[in-house]
């Protein structure tokens, strides 16, 4: 569990700089340059991610069950992860109404993804991993919205075509992951 927690602290810590020290981040980028900042950020993120994957794998070998989720939670989790995939697609597909309305769909995707996994799994490793991501996503979304208000950020209006493509890409990504990749990569088949 210590490796998982260390990975979460490193990965989410790096990703929390804009939440807790945006001014320091801006000053540091101005002082050292954007490329060195991004390189350091990337290296620390990758190390943190590797520690999360390794630590979660270790923690799953000796699970500590906190509660047994009702069977229906798996179905709700499947629906929520579908929504998370559509939100993730909305981050990248230009001129979609989802991003125009919600402004930060990637952070919302992480929030919905984490909640889905908390509902479907009741062991300690899941609570630590997905609970940490849920708290981070909630704080990150609040900070991003505050930055938008302060800067007067206006998001481009969405189009029907952009929104349709977003939904199609999100559903296709979800289907690929739910029916195949989750089992192949993580060893758990959420559907099927």
């Amino acid at each position: 569990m210590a490796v998982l927690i260390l990975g979460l602290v490193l990965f989410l810590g790096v990703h929390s700089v804009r939440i807790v020290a945006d001014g320091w981040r801006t000053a540091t980028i101005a002082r050292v340059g954007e490329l060195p900042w991004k390189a350091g950020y990337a290296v620390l993120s990758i190390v943190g991610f590797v520690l999360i994957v390794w630590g979660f794998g270790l923690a799953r070998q000796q699970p500590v069950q906190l509660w047994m989720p009702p069977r229906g939670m798996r179905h709700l989790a499947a629906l929520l992860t579908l929504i998370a995939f559509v939100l993730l697609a909305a981050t990248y597909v230009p001129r979609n109404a989802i991003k125009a309305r919600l402004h930060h769909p990637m952070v919302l995707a992480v929030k919905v993804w984490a909640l889905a996994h908390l509902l479907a799994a009741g062991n300690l490793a899941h609570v630590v991993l997905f609970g940490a991501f849920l708290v981070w996503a909630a704080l990150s979304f609040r900070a991003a919205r505050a930055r938008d208000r302060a800067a007067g950020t206006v998001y481009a209006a969405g189009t029907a075509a952009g929104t349709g493509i977003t939904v199609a890409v999100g559903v296709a990504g979800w289907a690929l992951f739910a029916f195949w990749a989750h089992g192949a990569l993580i060893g758990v088949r959420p559907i099927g």
Side-chain angles (χ1 to χ4, degrees):
M1 189 66 66
V3 175
L4 172 60
I5 293 170
L6 177 61
L8 286 166
V9 168
L10 188 57
F11 184 84
L12 294 177
V14 168
H15 285 81
S16 296
V17 172
R18 290 203 78 186
I19 298 170
V20 297
D22 197 33
W24 174 83
R25 174 187 173 273
T26 303
T28 303
I29 291 171
R31 190 179 78 248
V32 302
E34 191 169 346
L35 188 59
W37 172 267
K38 285 183 176 182
Y41 188 96
V43 167
L44 291 174
S45 294
I46 291 167
V47 170
F49 182 75
V50 167
L51 290 172
I52 289 170
V53 171
W54 180 34
F56 189 68
L58 292 173
R60 285 177 59 194
Q61 291 174 8
Q62 297 176 335
V64 176
Q65 197 67 30
L66 300 175
W67 71 84
M68 205 59 192
R71 186 169 173 83
M73 287 297 118
R74 291 185 66 193
H75 302 294
L76 180 57
L79 175 62
L80 289 172
T81 54
L82 171 61
I83 293 167
F85 269 86
V86 171
L87 289 168
L88 184 61
T91 303
Y92 299 104
V93 176
R95 299 194 54 91
N96 69 79
I98 297 168
K99 185 171 185 172
R101 174 76 174 107
L102 300 176
H103 303 192
H104 299 280
M106 181 179 281
V107 177
L108 290 174
V110 171
K111 191 188 292 190
V112 173
W113 165 82
L115 176 62
H117 284 79
L118 281 172
L119 293 174
N123 75 42
L124 183 60
H126 286 88
V127 170
V128 170
L129 175 65
F130 299 113
F133 271 96
L134 181 60
V135 169
W136 172 82
L139 295 173
S140 182
F141 185 73
R142 188 179 74 185
R145 294 297 293 252
R147 282 192 307 272
D148 284 352
R149 282 190 300 277
T153 303
V154 177
Y155 287 83
T159 64
T163 305
I165 292 168
T166 298
V167 172
V169 168
V171 169
W174 172 82
L176 177 68
F177 207 77
F179 289 101
W180 177 76
H182 198 281
L185 298 172
I186 291 137
V188 176
R189 295 180 54 86
I191 298 176

